[in-house]
Amino acid sequence: MDNNRHIPDRDDDIDGYEKIDRYNPDLIESLKGHYHEVLKLIGEHPGREGLLKTPERMAKAMLYLTHGYDLNAEEILKSAMFKEDYSQMVVVKDIEVYSMCEHHMLPFLGKAHVAYIPNGYVVGLSKIPRIVDVFARRLQVQERLTNEIRDCIQQTLNPIGVGVVIECRHMCMSMRGVQKQNSVTTTSAFTGAFLQDKTRTEFLNLISSRLS
Ligand SMILES: Nc1nc2c(ncn2[C@@H]2O[C@H](COP(=O)(O)OP(=O)(O)OP(=O)(O)O)[C@@H](O)[C@H]2O)c(=O)[nH]1
Ligand SMILES: [Zn+2]
């Protein structure tokens, strides 16, 4: 985590949420300067009325779009783990994903489907989409995003198994480059019981009704 992104931490900000929107003004100034140059280099006139505040907006937007660097996924999960005698599969599906590819810094977006089988503890349901965001709101490749979500849940919650499926459209493949408007990339990652056909099939069946 790069502390230069922020004005100083509060001591009680364990998972990082307090930091969002409290960005270091010097960093915003520096990013503004660079975006001002970018606007000039693409042939625009940063002094024209519509663009006057654009470098600052871009700086703030970029820091927001990468705010996953400021959050601690493990702490988020740990903050809502409850002892519970439930041993069936828990599935949270259709979680919106907004990320940016690390190759072009263009968006890729779609859905994540996450499941786990508890091993004495369940996690607060909202924490699953939250950790999807922690890893999505960084420069990513879809494969690594999928693995990072799986590994975080497995290592923190120690469940009987974890399954993650992500399906996304990549703007770098539609707005530019190969220019394929309708291709969707699907990635998956499993641990434990989900490595067995029966459990994996149950998970895939549970999410398949909505696969786009
Ligand atoms: N595996 C993987 N590749 C990605 C992801 N996002 C973007 N890419 C790919 O990263 C690759 C970068 O390839 P390069 O040949 O270096 O870049 P490029 O010349 O801009 O490639 P084109 O997109 O084919 O024009 C491209 O094939 C992208 O489609 C991702 O999440 N996972
Ligand atoms: Zn890309």
Side-chain angles (χ1 to χ4, degrees):
M1 200 179 296
D2 181 1
N3 288 326
N4 288 334
R5 288 168 60 97
H6 299 281
I7 56 180
D9 288 352
R10 276 178 34 176
D11 289 345
D12 58 348
D13 185 21
I14 296 166
D15 52 24
Y17 275 107
E18 296 294 328
K19 282 206 278 279
I20 295 177
D21 291 338
R22 296 170 69 235
Y23 291 112
N24 178 349
D26 293 340
L27 174 60
I28 302 246
E29 268 318 297
S30 173
L31 281 168
K32 262 169 72 176
H34 289 292
Y35 282 130
H36 189 272
E37 283 309 298
V38 168
L39 287 173
K40 282 206 294 204
L41 289 169
I42 63 170
E44 263 293 355
H45 302 283
R48 74 176 171 84
E49 197 185 345
L51 293 182
L52 281 178
K53 283 188 70 184
T54 296
E56 182 176 348
R57 293 191 193 101
M58 292 171 80
K60 288 179 176 169
M62 187 51 63
L63 289 173
Y64 183 79
L65 294 174
T66 56
H67 73 249
Y69 293 123
D70 311 325
L71 300 172
N72 185 327
E74 198 181 310
E75 293 301 335
I76 290 169
L77 281 187
K78 280 188 189 158
S79 71
M81 279 172 58
F82 311 113
K83 209 165 174 31
E84 197 60 58
D85 185 22
Y86 178 86
S87 54
Q88 297 305 307
M89 190 181 297
V90 178
V91 184
V92 184
K93 66 180 183 179
D94 295 334
I95 302 166
E96 292 95 331
V97 170
Y98 296 99
S99 191
M100 270 197 304
C101 83
E102 66 185 16
H103 307 106
H104 304 94
M105 289 181 68
L106 284 172
F108 65 91
L109 37 110
K111 286 176 180 172
H113 314 282
V114 179
Y116 71 99
I117 300 175
N119 185 17
Y121 286 87
V122 296
V123 67
L125 285 178
S126 68
K127 305 305 179 192
I128 303 272
R130 281 191 188 280
I131 66 152
V132 168
D133 265 350
V134 170
F135 295 112
R137 298 303 199 156
R138 302 175 181 197
L139 301 188
Q140 273 291 7
V141 296
Q142 190 176 321
E143 294 91 332
R144 188 169 70 237
L145 171 62
T146 313
N147 284 345
E148 285 179 344
I149 296 165
R150 173 200 61 186
D151 293 345
C152 177
I153 297 173
Q154 184 60 51
Q155 284 159 19
T156 310
L157 200 58
N158 191 30
I160 307 243
V162 179
V164 180
V165 169
I166 300 186
E167 23 176 25
C168 281
R169 293 177 198 276
H170 289 247
M171 292 304 118
C172 66
M173 288 176 67
S174 52
M175 295 172 71
R176 57 159 298 286
V178 75
Q179 305 209 31
K180 296 300 172 211
Q181 312 304 323
N182 296 308
S183 72
V184 175
T185 302
T186 302
T187 47
S188 58
F190 303 103
T191 64
F194 286 78
L195 296 169
Q196 294 159 15
D197 285 348
K198 194 165 155 286
T199 307
R200 191 165 61 228
T201 303
E202 180 186 341
F203 171 48
L204 296 177
N205 284 341
L206 283 168
I207 64 174
S208 65
S209 56
R210 297 262 199 86
L211 285 179
S212 52

